[in-house]
Amino acid sequence: LWFFLFEALIKILAEGRAPQRYLWSGWNRFDLLVTLAGFASILQLSIFNVALFRLFRLLQLLRTFSKVAKLKIIIESLARAMNPMKYVVLLLIVFNFLFAISGIELFKENDPFHFGSLQAASLTIYRCETLQAWEQVMFINMFGCDKYSYEAYEEASQVSMGRGCQSPKAAGWGAAIYFVLVTIIGGILQPTLIIALITACTAAATGIVAKELESIAGME
C-alpha cells in the first residue's frame, strides 16, 4: 500500500502546478480510491464497515489493468460499450415482449404450459434464443399437442396445469415461421449486434490507449 501511495504522490507531483489534472484520469481516481480504502481497512476506522473495506483491498489486484496495455484496452472497451449497450438491451426487451405476447395469442390454447402466461412465454422465448431444444416447442405447436409431445413436457404440464393436452390446435407452418424468426433474430442477430458494438468500442479504446502510450514515451 505504501508503494501505491508513493506512486500516486509521484504522479501528482509530476503534474507540476496543476495537480488537479491527476484526477482527470479515471484510472488515477480508481487507483487512489482503492489505495485509500486499503489504508482505511488497515486502520480499521470504526466509523466505516471494516469488512467492506477489507474487500476493497482485493481490488488492488485490479490495479494491474491500468498497467498492462492489453488489459486496459479490454476494460476501456467494456466501459465505452455500457452507454450504447442500454439501447441494445432495451431493443432485446421490446423484441422479447412482442414475441411473448404474440406467442400467447397464437399458441395459448394448444400449449398453455409454454404460452399460458407472460412469464411462461418470456421464458420460452429466452429458451428458443439460447437454442435449448427450441424445436420441441415448435413441433408441439406445428402439429398440435395431441400429435406431438415429449415425456418431460407431458409430466410438467400435468403437474403445473393440472391437466394434459385438452385443446389441441395445430398452427402448421405459421408456427414454424414464428419460431424460426425468434431463433434467427433473438439467437443470432442480437448477439451479433452486441459483438459488433463491443468491437467498435475496442477499436476506439485501442486508439486512446495507443495515444496515451505515445504521450508517455514522448515525455520520457
Side-chain angles (χ1 to χ4, degrees):
L1 285 178
W2 288 106
F3 173 80
F4 295 139
L5 181 61
F6 180 73
E7 178 190 25
L9 291 175
I10 292 296
K11 287 184 177 180
I12 293 173
L13 293 175
E15 298 295 344
R17 296 184 178 180
Q20 68 275 10
R21 290 188 300 185
Y22 171 80
L23 297 176
W24 291 359
S25 171
W27 288 105
N28 288 341
R29 292 195 297 270
F30 173 76
D31 289 347
L32 185 61
L33 174 64
V34 172
T35 301
L36 294 179
F39 275 106
S41 66
I42 291 176
L43 297 175
Q44 296 186 356
L45 299 179
S46 59
I47 59 175
F48 298 108
N49 188 328
V50 176
L52 178 62
F53 275 104
R54 284 175 178 171
L55 291 177
F56 268 97
R57 295 184 64 183
L58 296 177
L59 293 177
Q60 294 289 350
L61 296 174
L62 300 182
R63 297 182 79 256
T64 57
F65 291 161
S66 62
K67 312 303 178 186
V68 182
K70 292 186 181 297
L71 291 176
K72 193 172 182 179
I73 289 173
I74 294 174
I75 299 301
E76 289 277 0
S77 303
L78 294 177
R80 287 177 168 272
M82 287 300 103
N83 187 45
M85 187 71 73
K86 61 186 179 184
Y87 299 106
V88 177
V89 172
L90 179 61
L91 177 64
L92 186 145
I93 292 174
V94 171
F95 168 82
N96 285 9
F97 178 77
L98 291 177
F99 270 88
I101 294 296
S102 301
I104 292 173
E105 294 296 324
L106 294 172
F107 312 123
K108 182 177 181 179
E109 293 184 13
N110 176 70
D111 191 4
F113 177 73
H114 291 113
F115 293 98
S117 65
L118 181 60
Q119 295 87 341
S122 299
L123 288 174
T124 301
I125 295 300
Y126 179 74
R127 169 182 173 177
C128 294
E129 290 173 342
T130 56
L131 307 180
Q132 181 64 36
W134 67 277
E135 72 281 356
Q136 301 282 2
V137 184
M138 180 181 70
F139 291 150
I140 290 173
N141 293 284
M142 276 186 68
F143 305 117
C145 59
D146 59 332
K147 299 291 182 61
Y148 186 92
S149 185
Y150 57 98
E151 185 178 352
Y153 165 72
E154 290 178 348
E155 293 177 357
S157 181
Q158 289 284 356
V159 172
S160 62
M161 307 299 296
R163 56 185 173 83
C165 177
Q166 292 191 355
S167 301
K169 184 179 179 182
W173 288 105
I177 295 173
Y178 172 89
F179 286 101
V180 168
L181 284 176
V182 169
T183 302
I184 292 177
I185 298 176
I188 299 176
L189 295 184
Q190 288 185 358
T192 302
L193 180 61
I194 295 174
I195 293 172
L197 177 62
I198 295 177
T199 301
C201 293
T202 301
T206 302
I208 292 173
V209 173
K211 289 182 180 179
E212 291 181 359
L213 294 177
E214 288 177 0
S215 62
I216 293 173
M219 291 175 61
E220 295 177 350

